[in-house]
Amino acid sequence: MWDHVIRGGTIVTATEEAYEADVYIKDGKISAISIERLPGKVTEEIDARGCCVLPGLIDIHIHSRDPGASHKEDFYHSTQAAAIGGITTVFEMPNTNPPINNVENFHKQVDNLEQKAHVDFGVWAICLGRLNSEDLHPLNKAGVIGYKFFWGYAVNSKTFQLVYNANEKNDEVIPPFKDGEVYEIFESVSKTGKVLAIHAESNDIIQYLTQRYESSDHNDYNALLQTRSNLAEEITIQTGISFAKKTGVRLHILHMSTEEGVNLVKAAQKEGYNITSETCPHYLFLNNEDYNKIGSAMKVYPLVKYKKDQEKLWKGLEEGVISIVCSDHAPHTEEEKSGDLWSIPAGMCGVETLTSLMLDAVNKNRLTLQDLVAILSENPAKQFGIYPRKGSLLPGTDADITIVDLNKNSVIKKENLHSKSKITAFDGFELKGTPVATIVRGQMIMKDGKIVSKPTGKLIKPSNDNS
Ligand code: DOR
Ligand code: ZN
């Protein structure tokens, strides 16, 4: 009668008191959660005694580089890493080659990813201003999870690739969009009803401050921080919030790294605007002082800032100003990451270590396990229109389940990561609390740190498509 029963675990959701019960699964859906044994034959029993049973965790922000830079990472590896990390759904970022800028590329991408996906996935679309404004509505109908705008990045006019070093003088490079064109993006996305997520850093400010520093002899992390400063994030979030107020777009601030950002989002939320934000483990567990120990592995954009920012981000999380924690998984190879701090690319692995780092924080009483379920599962699902299918343990919904052992210790070792490139700022971190099983639509994908299934992940489309 039942395909699987998860026995004896502690059920943890975002809102209820934790309680011990069995989870009954049939045809990939949750059938029942019961404190009493239900009659009927069971095909497979999963012993979860001593562990906690959570709605499947979601990482809304990963860059698998697939297609386009699969020497760094691909979806096969990134979703294995996700499953090992207890993640049942990922949202793949659109800065691939080709990028996800139109429906044709979206469909090709879904075909590509579906063959490699160990977990379910949503796909972001990219906003390229007037280069693809006509494509945004069709992309909505096709089922993208949301729209991403890399504010402050230049774009290659032929390949539409982002240009990370935007001061290059080159005919093929379209400079970062001016505010008017960005405002148009906000207007266009507002008509879709979907989320517009922004990378919020001002290229103007960064360029200006970089020129100042080029003439000085400073060359360390703190000098870099002077150039990609808090101000660059602050003014972009500020403008973004103003545009959102005017256009009504559902604005989401990606990888927030500053105190100023938290203050701005909090103020907008207080005024009643549905503006949301996320942060990542590197901003929560590191600050500039860690650079001496960790080195260039911790270079990400936006940069990891100061202790005061780190503390404010935790406060923002506690207050609900920040409602999601995600990895910004963005691998580069060891070779690419070695060399001069100013010229190496930004980004590191994260999808595999996200859950353990947050579980360790639960053990250190920085948040409750209920809070963790909210920020890694329920809030992402609700904000992106896939709740309750994802992000809940309600009967009738997808049997996506993450089983965690709060008492199991682990050490992050870069060589053990499942990604192709193995750059992490957290190498050597000793953590308490580990995901021990990942179940997607009733199927066990990871058990005790091992992948136990072939790729069977599927595209997830949001329901609020307004089309
Ligand atoms: O650190 C980063 N890496 N920040 C970004 O915005 C992009 C990402 C990447 O794709 O490498
Ligand atoms: Zn990113």
Side-chain angles (χ1 to χ4, degrees):
M1 259 271 276
W2 315 104
D3 298 332
H4 316 272
V5 178
I6 303 171
R7 291 260 186 235
T10 302
I11 310 293
V12 182
T13 64
T15 44
E16 298 160 301
E17 191 83 40
Y19 63 104
E20 210 173 282
D22 300 333
V23 182
Y24 292 79
I25 297 169
K26 194 169 166 49
D27 298 332
K29 306 273 182 203
I30 294 174
S31 292
I33 298 188
S34 175
I35 48 175
E36 273 153 32
R37 269 186 185 244
L38 300 182
K41 258 181 86 171
V42 176
T43 310
E44 190 201 14
E45 302 244 356
I46 299 161
D47 183 4
R49 282 172 302 171
C51 294
C52 294
V53 176
L54 321 180
L57 305 181
I58 301 170
D59 188 345
I60 73 160
H61 190 156
I62 76 165
H63 302 260
S64 303
R65 321 291 196 199
D66 188 346
S70 41
H71 64 288
K72 298 174 195 258
E73 182 67 308
D74 61 29
F75 208 57
Y76 187 85
H77 287 82
S78 68
T79 55
Q80 281 206 345
I84 298 284
I87 305 291
T88 56
T89 301
V90 295
F91 296 171
E92 176 63 11
M93 280 294 170
N95 56 325
T96 43
N97 190 4
I100 311 308
N101 59 332
N102 59 37
V103 168
E104 192 191 337
N105 287 347
F106 171 77
H107 287 307
K108 276 197 202 143
Q109 178 65 321
V110 173
D111 289 344
N112 169 40
L113 299 184
E114 218 147 32
Q115 295 167 34
K116 304 170 185 167
H118 288 82
V119 299
D120 282 351
F121 61 94
V123 177
W124 289 94
I126 199 163
C127 293
L128 297 171
R130 285 169 204 160
L131 296 171
N132 80 334
S133 50
E134 300 295 314
D135 295 292
L136 300 187
H137 179 65
L139 278 163
N140 186 31
K141 288 186 99 168
V144 296
I145 199 76
Y147 297 87
K148 168 139 184 199
F149 175 51
F150 290 82
W151 204 324
Y153 282 86
V155 178
N156 182 294
S157 62
K158 296 211 167 75
T159 63
F160 302 136
Q161 292 302 290
L162 301 176
V163 179
Y164 290 86
N165 207 357
N167 57 359
E168 287 167 26
K169 296 267 173 298
N170 184 331
D171 285 351
E172 285 186 5
V173 171
I174 301 170
F177 303 130
K178 295 218 165 34
D179 281 356
E181 197 166 352
V182 177
Y183 184 64
E184 274 183 10
I185 291 175
F186 276 61
E187 283 181 324
S188 308
V189 176
S190 78
K191 292 188 193 121
T192 69
K194 275 195 180 145
V195 173
L196 173 61
I198 59 167
H199 180 118
E201 286 190 294
S202 161
N203 180 60
D204 269 1
I205 290 293
I206 292 168
Q207 290 308 315
Y208 173 71
L209 295 174
T210 305
Q211 276 164 20
R212 272 194 185 183
Y213 266 80
E214 266 165 3
S215 54
S216 85
D217 53 6
H218 293 284
N219 198 20
D220 58 5
Y221 189 79
N222 285 332
L224 191 61
L225 262 179
Q226 300 290 327
T227 67
R228 295 191 84 101
S229 74
N230 288 44
L231 186 62
E233 180 168 285
E234 180 181 6
I235 64 165
T236 309
I237 293 179
Q238 183 127 54
T239 309
I241 289 174
S242 299
F243 287 1
K245 286 180 178 175
K246 200 85 186 149
T247 60
V249 82
R250 253 294 288 116
L251 180 65
H252 177 74
I253 315 295
L254 297 161
H255 42 46
M256 208 154 66
S257 68
T258 60
E259 175 181 18
E260 292 83 351
V262 176
N263 288 336
L264 286 166
V265 173
K266 183 173 177 174
Q269 289 172 345
K270 237 182 174 164
E271 286 179 59
Y273 291 98
N274 188 8
I275 290 168
T276 54
S277 64
E278 67 182 37
T279 193
C280 314
H282 33 276
Y283 305 115
L284 291 171
F285 298 105
L286 306 174
N287 63 54
N288 63 322
E289 289 166 26
D290 292 300
Y291 182 76
N292 291 337
K293 208 167 54 227
I294 293 171
S296 52
M298 76 180 245
K299 183 182 177 187
V300 292
Y301 289 159
L303 294 173
V304 170
K305 305 290 193 311
Y306 306 92
K307 194 160 189 144
K308 70 168 179 63
D309 299 293
Q310 185 185 10
E311 279 162 10
K312 188 72 182 191
L313 291 166
W314 276 108
K315 187 114 186 81
L317 204 54
E318 265 168 48
E319 292 176 342
V321 175
I322 298 170
S323 48
I324 294 177
V325 176
C326 55
S327 69
D328 195 5
H329 183 75
H332 299 282
T333 65
E334 193 95 37
E335 299 76 64
E336 289 164 334
K337 279 296 252 194
S338 51
D340 148 53
L341 171 66
W342 290 61
S343 31
I344 60 170
M348 62 164 136
C349 292
V351 69
E352 188 165 344
T353 49
L354 169 66
T355 306
S356 298
L357 285 160
M358 295 308 289
L359 287 171
D360 187 66
V362 169
N363 273 314
K364 293 188 169 127
N365 293 322
R366 295 237 53 162
L367 74 167
T368 66
L369 195 52
Q370 278 84 356
D371 296 335
L372 181 146
V373 171
I375 61 180
L376 290 181
S377 184
E378 192 176 302
N379 295 344
K382 284 185 168 162
Q383 288 175 30
F384 288 88
I386 56 173
Y387 185 88
R389 181 171 172 201
K390 305 293 188 192
S392 87
L393 291 175
L394 295 172
T397 66
D398 285 356
D400 289 2
I401 291 163
T402 304
I403 305 179
V404 304
D405 183 343
L406 264 182
N407 297 311
K408 192 168 177 193
N409 295 311
S410 68
V411 183
I412 296 178
K413 291 200 178 124
K414 61 188 278 201
E415 65 271 22
N416 293 345
L417 294 179
H418 288 71
S419 287
K420 269 193 160 176
S421 308
K422 300 179 193 299
I423 300 288
T424 170
F426 300 109
D427 191 32
F429 273 50
E430 295 176 10
L431 305 173
K432 187 173 178 189
T434 310
V436 292
T438 305
I439 297 167
V440 178
R441 283 175 285 102
Q443 183 169 358
M444 184 86 76
I445 308 296
M446 179 279 280
K447 191 162 183 346
D448 297 326
K450 300 237 155 25
I451 297 292
V452 293
S453 158
K454 292 202 161 54
T456 53
K458 285 199 160 57
L459 174 73
I460 300 301
K461 294 181 187 182
S463 57
N464 58 345
D465 65 5
N466 260 22
S467 49

